[in-house]
Amino acid sequence: MLLAETPSTTTSAQAQSALPPVTVEAPAPRSKPARASGETPRRTQAAARRQSNRNATAAPAVPTLSERAAAAAVAQQAAKLGYRAMPSSTTLRSGASPLDTSQAVNIVPEQVLKDQLPRNIDDALINISGITQTNTLAGSQDAVIRRGFGDNRDGSIMRNGMPLVQGRSFNPAVESVEVLKGPASLLYGIMDPGGIVNTISKRPELYQHGSVTLLGSTFNASKTGADGLLDVTGPIGDQGLAYRFIGYGVSEDYWRNFGRHREMLVAPSLAWYGENTTVQLNYEHREFIYPFDRGTAFNPVTKAPLAVPADRRLDEPFNNTWGTSDLIQASIEHRFNQDWKLFAGYSYNTETFSANQLRITGINFTTGNETRSNDGTQGSLSNASYGTSYISGSFWLGNMRNEVVFGGDGQYRTIYRDNLIRQATPAINIYNPIYGLIGPGTTVSNSDSAQTDKLGQWSLFVQDTLHLTERFALVGGVRYMDYDQIAGRGKPFVTNTNVSQDKVLPLGGAIIKLTDELSLYASYTESLKPNSTIAPIGVVIGSNVAPEEGVSYETGLKFDVNKRISGTLAFYDLDKKNVQTTKTNSAGIVEIHTVGRARSRGVELDVTGRLTDSWALIGSYGYTDARVTASEDLTLLGRKLQNVALNTASLYLVYDFGTALPGQLRLGGGARYVGDRPGDAINSFFLPSYVVADVFATYEMKYQNTPVIYQFNVKNLFDTVYYPSAVNNLNVAIGDARRFSLSATVKF
């Protein structure tokens, strides 16, 4: 029955015969050995082999771990094709169902990523409500605004629930992406109040299979590229040990008038799935070079973009960033009994890079004269060492069930830039540019160099979900956090931040299960992030300066209908106080003050799943009203927050033709909408709203019994010129032009 309900070309596991039936309620983030009722797989197999030796006519031995894992994967694949998604246990630090939690978690499932082929985390998160892009540091950093708040290097991007410092977090080793909305400091410590983005790794699996993918792409006839991907996994022996190896390479032309993107990834991993214990070990090594492109400029008078073709860069061909990143993570999960389990994890992430950063300092929009500074960074180093351990489980207090998670974590993070280049350079006329007359800058500015930001954090936390009845539960939690931060710059080094504090952060919530498929929730959550600066400010930020603090009230509705389509409707009110501002005193010295306040209020709707046996969808809508509510600088008071759109929306649909054709044909497409956004803090200009459409088609067939998948994607179907974010009017990012890609994947 299981195999009959799954398309015949879904997975190579179907080549095996007489696989046992497996019941799978929802797709798991990774395949684990299916359990026989009442016994472990190895004990069951051993007993079956002994019985077979005693009686040759006895029933066949119970299938192996690999056979059952393959059968489970077949069952899960149908759900994946229907965009069915459940959150990873690492996001909420527990395996609780979303309907039994008081915070919103939105998911971009594995199959959505396979269909849409996002190229970075911003591209993947177009499917989630209320998210926009902010300053990506010329395309070199993830920079995600969530519910009005966020920045690059704000510590909000995770891998398997542990923080990353590498500039770009999304790559072919990522299986799915999850967003925990709102203040998340109870579970994650120091954090901006918008929430966290958790990227989930592909894990080793206990049945042998793999794939090779070759992809060709083009922006136009002269801007082409190629990708190659190898992904292979399987068991090592028959005792629950498994491996996975992912290798990836890309070389492609940049869509603008010069530049090239090259990247290499090697990602081996191991896992051991024991009777009560799971051990995971994964490593990623990445090398990259891509354009450092600050985009275009907007005329401060007309509020219109610079009147040059969209593909014309304002800098020089040497503007690139290049470097390497390494990530190693280890985790162990041990189940003591049916109710209690332990999780412990450690992560170390480091990235080194350098960049040529020719900077635009001014443009005469009438004559086209462009002044520039020949800037650069040499020897940038970021690293983060993080460890966490927590126990989760349930117990009864009278007639009330308690679901508890308690533990601790520690982090030490460093962001360092060694030499900062600052060099004068001749002007250029951007209406008639002649490139290549200058080379990269070499003059080191000692006062700007040695930029350093070091953060240490140690915490204990506990959260309890108290089920007063079968339908009503209260949630409460608290984190005690101790942290230190030192920041500054210059050779010789000048300290501008020296903070050492502790803080207690609470969480509260309530859940009403209206039915098994529908629940109401409400929550109160807080966040904390210390104020810091590397700038040569006249007053040092000491321990007496209050940190930024976020407070959120949220309520909403969660649904999971027939285990086919799920989603969240959320209403929230988020307030952030002690926002850092600057003021020049009567002596002409710039002082740091923490009197600013910002507020974000909004509504969010996220839906994903299967509408019918043929139709699947993922869609979202977000309304985000974010603005400054208090500031010593009156030019900021009442202004909308930079790069935050009042309205965002997305909808992607997929139609699966099933067995109507000799192979399996799937067609899909959709669009995303982002409303206009302020391009700077004082709202002097706005980035226009935009709609970008994408389409794809996949066709899976068999060639001499080998599954082959052909996939065709068009991103930015109508070649829309759009501006996803801005730092100021001279630094406005431009979205990618229309891109065609065709790939072939061979499964084995």
Side-chain angles (χ1 to χ4, degrees), residues 2-3 5-7 10-11 13-14 22-34 68-85 110-111 114 175 205 207 209 610:
L2 181 150
L3 296 179
E5 293 175 351
T6 307
T10 298
T11 175
Q14 292 161 312
V22 177
T23 300
V24 179
E25 182 175 295
R30 62 196 66 90
S31 296
K32 293 186 178 180
R68 293 187 63 81
V74 173
Q76 291 172 3
Q77 183 66 11
K80 290 178 181 179
L81 289 173
Y83 287 8
R84 175 86 171 121
E110 176 185 5
Q111 190 61 46
K114 289 181 178 180
E175 181 178 81
E205 297 179 334
Y207 72 103
H209 65 105
R610 187 188 291 273

Side-chain angles (χ1 to χ4, degrees), residues 14 119 173 251 297 376 403 417 455 526-527 543 583 607 630 688:
Q14 292 161 312
R119 310 183 70 207
S251 178
E403 292 181 331
R417 296 181 180 182
L455 172 67
E526 294 188 6
S527 69
S543 59
K583 183 179 181 180
V607 180

Side-chain angles (χ1 to χ4, degrees), residues 138-149:
S140 66
Q141 300 278 333
D142 291 334
V144 181
I145 293 178
R146 309 155 310 278
R147 291 188 172 176
F149 300 103

